[in-house]
Amino acid sequence: MFRPLCVVQTLVWVAGAAAQAVAGAAPARIDFYPPDVQLVSSQARQRYLGVATRADGVTEDVTARAQVAPADAKIVRVDKQILYPVADGQTTLAVQLEGRSVTVPVVVKSAA
């Protein structure tokens, strides 16, 4: 006997499993916004956004999952996806996610 509901349930399960497999795929590229950071004054703050692009062109906000670390924590600090000036100078941020990485320049002025 043909059971249409079982067929629909099976198709939904297969589609869900395929979507999970694609979502779990390593990104083809990651981008960081802004692409360069300028913090001018001791009160300056900069939120950032990490975007992963999959091989099929689909993009995803990965800000919360990306690892962001300053090369010199004496210049800038990262706290809850916000960049804060510490001292005047230049450094970079290393942004990493699932085997992909990008380096972002940071300039801090008038932090005192």
Side-chain angles (χ1 to χ4, degrees), residues 6-88:
C6 290
V7 171
V8 171
Q9 288 173 333
T10 301
L11 289 175
V12 168
W13 181 84
V14 169
Q20 285 179 344
V22 170
R29 184 177 94 214
I30 61 169
D31 293 297
F32 186 90
Y33 298 100
D36 61 277
V37 177
Q38 306 268 333
L39 297 171
V40 182
S41 92
S42 61
Q43 300 302 310
R45 306 290 184 263
Q46 179 66 61
R47 288 191 175 275
Y48 59 82
L49 177 69
V51 178
T53 303
R54 296 189 326 219
D56 62 3
V58 174
T59 58
E60 175 186 6
D61 179 351
V62 294
T63 306
R65 294 186 357 233
Q67 297 172 341
V68 178
D72 188 347
K74 294 176 184 173
I75 303 293
V76 66
R77 74 180 171 89
V78 180
D79 186 26
K80 298 179 184 170
Q81 302 161 4
I82 301 174
L83 303 171
Y84 296 90
V86 176
D88 289 1

Side-chain angles (χ1 to χ4, degrees), residues 68-76 78 90-95 103-104 106:
V68 178
D72 188 347
K74 294 176 184 173
I75 303 293
V76 66
V78 180
Q90 297 181 9
T91 189
T92 59
L93 295 174
V95 182
T103 301
V104 179
V106 177

